[in-house]
Amino acid sequence: MRLTEQVVKKLRVAKVFKENTDKINSIDFSEDGTTLISSSDDDSIQIYDVSKGVPGKTLYSKKYGVDLIRYTHHANCVIYSSNKVDDTLRYLSVHDNKYIRYFSGHTKKVVTLCMSPVDDTFLSGSLDKTIRLWDLRSTNCQGLMNLPGRPVAAFDPEGLIFAAGINSEMIKLYDLRSFDKGPFSTFRLQQDKTCDWTGMKLSQDGKLILVSTNGSIVRLIDAFQGNLVHTFTGYTNSRNAALEASFSPDGQFVFSGSSDGKVHVWSTDNGNKVCTLEGKQATTIHNVQFNPKFMMLASTCNQMSFWIPELEE
């Protein structure tokens, strides 16, 4: 089944999971799409079996809290940031609920965390105005960039380049092998005065950069020229929450939640709104991600929703 506008319009909530007592703050699919992991403000880590559509193991990070959870390339191992006590990153084996390593260095809340798509490298960015480069195999920071403002960051699909969004007004592109020499490209955009950039993703073909905000606006930027391709609006974000926007795996569509419990979908090709999908709750949808391998979407508020296309009999 190919993902077309018709299929997107038929997406419906098939299952709602009520495992959490507070906001689910981040989600991540495994590379093969068979499991999904979530972190929540209730200090829990919840794993879901996607193929069976059931919740799996629940773990807790009561002392440090848990945010920005990401699968690594090692089965059953994740990294995540803390939202209590300190700003250390933790590398956890979910198989036996044991910490493998800690990554210390940030002095304020970590607001961006991304795993390289190809190896054990990962990036973290913090309100301490730094981006740090790490390797899962070592507690030592592999690289440090001091920035003029709040960062967001993302790897390109090949894992050779990373993009850093700085101060909600510029994007710098770095070669991973020589990032200490500075960016090889800098794009300056009109600064968003009404909101901050809160997330960044690159499309699977590496041609587009998607910037999420804590306002009612998502920006799509050309990764080569740096010009604004489309601006996606027309959704509510009354509490100025950091709402995650995501690409479909083929890069054709962009999905975002909103504060009225709806998922909004736009075309990356022409920038038009494809549809607005009705969720089951009229509360803020913070995270939306499309499964990398299967025809399903996950969205979260305090609950987890799995969406699949409703097929005609």
Side-chain angles (χ1 to χ4, degrees):
M1 187 191 232
R2 237 181 94 249
L3 194 60
T4 60
E5 287 202 5
Q6 280 62 44
V7 173
V8 168
K9 287 174 181 171
K10 290 195 168 83
L11 284 167
R12 300 288 181 270
V13 175
K15 272 204 163 164
V16 177
F17 303 97
K18 303 179 179 180
E19 315 304 305
N20 295 94
T21 57
D22 207 336
K23 180 184 103 179
I24 296 170
N25 54 38
S26 72
I27 59 174
D28 195 32
F29 280 102
S30 58
E31 288 173 90
D32 64 5
T34 58
T35 63
L36 174 68
I37 199 159
S38 69
S39 59
S40 165
D41 288 354
D42 64 13
D43 306 328
S44 73
I45 295 167
Q46 179 66 49
I47 300 169
Y48 296 87
D49 182 322
V50 172
S51 42
K52 293 183 182 149
V54 294
K57 190 184 279 192
T58 309
L59 305 171
Y60 290 94
S61 179
K62 289 286 188 197
K63 185 175 177 185
Y64 301 102
V66 55
D67 201 353
L68 301 177
I69 199 156
R70 305 285 179 260
Y71 272 114
T72 65
H73 301 292
H74 304 269
N76 296 321
C77 293
V78 296
I79 46 170
Y80 67 84
S81 65
S82 325
N83 52 16
K84 296 196 287 196
V85 184
D86 62 19
D87 303 290
T88 299
L89 302 164
R90 292 179 161 74
Y91 181 24
L92 175 73
S93 163
V94 295
H95 165 66
D96 50 7
N97 197 18
K98 286 194 167 66
Y99 290 114
I100 301 165
R101 222 162 261 120
Y102 304 98
F103 305 93
S104 308
H106 285 301
T107 55
K108 286 187 177 166
K109 182 180 167 70
V110 173
V111 290
T112 189
L113 185 62
C114 45
M115 194 73 219
S116 160
V118 294
D119 60 21
D120 284 342
T121 311
F122 66 99
L123 281 173
S124 60
S126 156
L127 295 179
D128 64 15
K129 298 181 182 175
T130 65
I131 286 177
R132 287 174 178 266
L133 189 65
W134 309 88
D135 187 307
L136 282 174
R137 295 163 295 192
S138 164
T139 53
N140 300 327
C141 179
Q142 307 292 307
L144 171 67
M145 296 157 55
N146 289 292
L147 307 165
R150 176 193 177 124
V152 287
F155 282 96
D156 83 314
E158 316 277 282
L160 300 172
I161 289 164
F162 68 89
I166 300 154
N167 231 20
S168 306
E169 64 175 344
M170 76 177 93
I171 294 174
K172 291 177 181 283
L173 300 181
Y174 295 86
D175 187 315
L176 211 59
R177 293 157 299 193
S178 57
F179 74 91
D180 49 333
K181 296 186 173 68
F184 65 83
S185 228
T186 299
F187 311 137
R188 191 173 280 277
L189 293 112
Q190 196 175 353
Q191 189 173 25
D192 283 312
K193 293 275 191 283
T194 54
C195 59
D196 294 318
W197 293 359
T198 52
M200 177 179 276
K201 294 181 182 179
L202 272 87
S203 57
Q204 257 326 98
D205 60 8
K207 292 178 181 173
L208 296 169
I209 297 173
L210 185 66
V211 176
S212 318
T213 71
N214 59 5
S216 303
I217 191 163
V218 176
R219 297 194 185 281
L220 192 66
I221 294 149
D222 183 304
F224 297 111
Q225 309 299 322
N227 50 309
L228 188 64
V229 181
H230 298 302
T231 299
F232 303 129
T233 56
Y235 65 98
T236 57
N237 186 2
S238 53
R239 293 190 173 174
N240 296 110
L243 302 181
E244 177 183 41
S246 295
F247 286 107
S248 57
D250 59 10
Q252 274 193 93
F253 305 104
V254 165
F255 299 83
S256 172
S258 61
S259 56
D260 58 5
K262 297 182 174 79
V263 172
H264 296 255
V265 192
W266 298 270
S267 160
T268 56
D269 181 34
N270 57 28
N272 294 339
K273 172 79 68 83
V274 174
C275 61
T276 303
L277 302 168
E278 297 282 340
K280 297 269 189 189
Q281 286 85 26
T283 54
T284 302
I285 293 180
H286 291 95
N287 301 97
V288 181
Q289 280 182 30
F290 211 95
N291 189 305
K293 301 290 183 199
F294 300 104
M295 191 62 78
M296 63 87 67
L297 179 83
S299 72
T300 74
C301 47
N302 285 17
Q303 301 172 359
M304 170 73 74
S305 297
F306 283 7
W307 305 64
I308 55 171
E310 195 175 57
L311 300 173
E312 267 84 42
E313 290 302 320

